[in-house]
Amino acid sequence: MCGRYVADASIDDLAAEFAAIADGSVLELMASFNVAPTDRVPVVLERTDEPPERTRQLHAARWGLIPSWAKDASGGAKMINARIETVGEKPAFRGPVARRRCVVPASGYYEWQRGPGGSGRKQAFYIHPPGGAARLAMAGVFEWWRDDSVPAEDPARWVLSASVLTTTPAPELAHIHDRMPVFLTADTLGDWLDRGNEDAAGVLDLARSAAGSVGAGLVARPVGPEVGNVRNNHPGLAEEYLPAQPDLLGS
């Protein structure tokens, strides 16, 4: 968790919503209704142009953090999430959470609920803000990784990657899964992105304390099993689908 989500907002809308300047790399991204690990996704971050001036920018990042010291990019697929309780202790995340924090925008995310007793077929849910107008700002961390197989003069040599932080769920979502993304609020988003704030513990506490208020207001609707296949990517994946076993929807 979170292993799939929806990123269908236009780049112009994201730039306006987050008061960010769109980098050229993000302009190539297409709307996705089934974002999967290693996909390129939009992220919002702060960069220092001329100290102490900082700008908020919208970039394309590979979902799944690749540590700067990794020999290759293959391990990133397993690092799409980081637990907020331990992110400051992990070698791959200690630097990013102190100095390289980002926001991963989403319209909603998918989660799978196990059947009664933890067995049987899982039921997928699409979890999103009511009305569909609001955007979720998931707390993330990012890293730059140098691909030495690419010529030094090629911009593709530097790979931007990111992970989404997770926390214990709001009570309203706990019956579906025991984790949820760390959602930033309007009051915590600026502190999270502030590149000049290296008090990782303080920023993490602030984000964690506010995440539940967002999670409590989200709506979860059952969706079909088609979302489980990464090759499927269309708006219909998020439409309501009633399972043949109604007991899977128990709360």
Side-chain angles (χ1 to χ4, degrees):
M1 174 323 79
C2 152
R4 302 284 178 79
Y5 70 95
V6 173
D8 62 342
S10 73
I11 300 305
D12 286 344
D13 285 348
L14 290 178
E17 288 176 27
F18 291 95
I21 299 171
D23 176 77
S25 64
V26 80
L27 300 178
E28 306 169 359
L29 298 181
M30 303 292 289
S32 178
F33 299 89
N34 197 6
V35 177
T38 75
D39 284 352
R40 294 176 76 238
V41 299
V43 299
V44 181
L45 52 84
E46 273 195 357
R47 299 198 72 177
T48 304
D49 295 328
E50 293 185 11
E53 296 298 323
R54 295 190 295 272
T55 59
R56 190 177 290 183
Q57 300 180 4
L58 190 61
H59 285 256
R62 186 181 190 269
W63 188 25
L65 188 137
I66 309 168
S68 60
W69 36 261
K71 293 183 178 179
D72 58 60
S74 61
K78 299 178 181 179
M79 301 181 74
I80 59 171
N81 295 154
R83 297 174 70 93
I84 197 170
E85 298 88 348
T86 58
V87 66
E89 305 167 9
K90 304 296 183 181
F93 295 119
R94 276 200 301 261
V97 80
R99 297 178 293 277
R100 293 179 290 280
R101 298 182 295 271
C102 65
V103 170
V104 182
S107 296
Y109 71 100
Y110 298 103
E111 194 51 84
W112 280 260
Q113 177 191 50
R114 291 187 179 276
S119 60
R121 192 180 72 183
K122 296 180 181 179
Q123 171 61 47
F125 286 83
Y126 179 57
I127 304 171
H128 61 97
R135 198 84 54 203
L136 296 175
M138 302 189 293
V141 292
F142 70 91
E143 186 61 278
W144 290 95
W145 176 71
R146 187 180 69 192
D147 185 351
D148 290 329
S149 68
V150 177
E153 65 276 9
D154 189 337
R157 190 181 200 197
W158 289 98
V159 179
L160 177 64
S161 61
S163 293
V164 172
L165 269 62
T166 69
T167 187
T168 52
E172 293 80 359
L173 301 175
H175 66 286
I176 297 176
H177 200 275
D178 62 359
R179 304 294 292 177
M180 74 173 188
V182 175
F183 301 115
L184 297 168
T185 64
D187 293 332
T188 58
L189 188 145
D191 290 311
W192 182 259
L193 288 177
D194 185 358
R195 194 180 176 113
N197 186 350
E198 296 190 11
D199 177 15
V203 177
L204 286 169
D205 285 343
L206 184 66
R208 180 165 42 198
S209 66
S213 64
V214 178
L218 298 182
V219 175
R221 66 170 176 253
V223 296
E226 190 181 2
V227 70
N229 188 329
V230 297
R231 292 189 293 272
N232 298 324
N233 197 327
H234 57 82
L237 296 177
E239 293 180 359
E240 185 171 19
Y241 173 91
L242 298 179
Q245 296 174 271
D247 56 339
L248 288 175
L249 305 183
S251 59

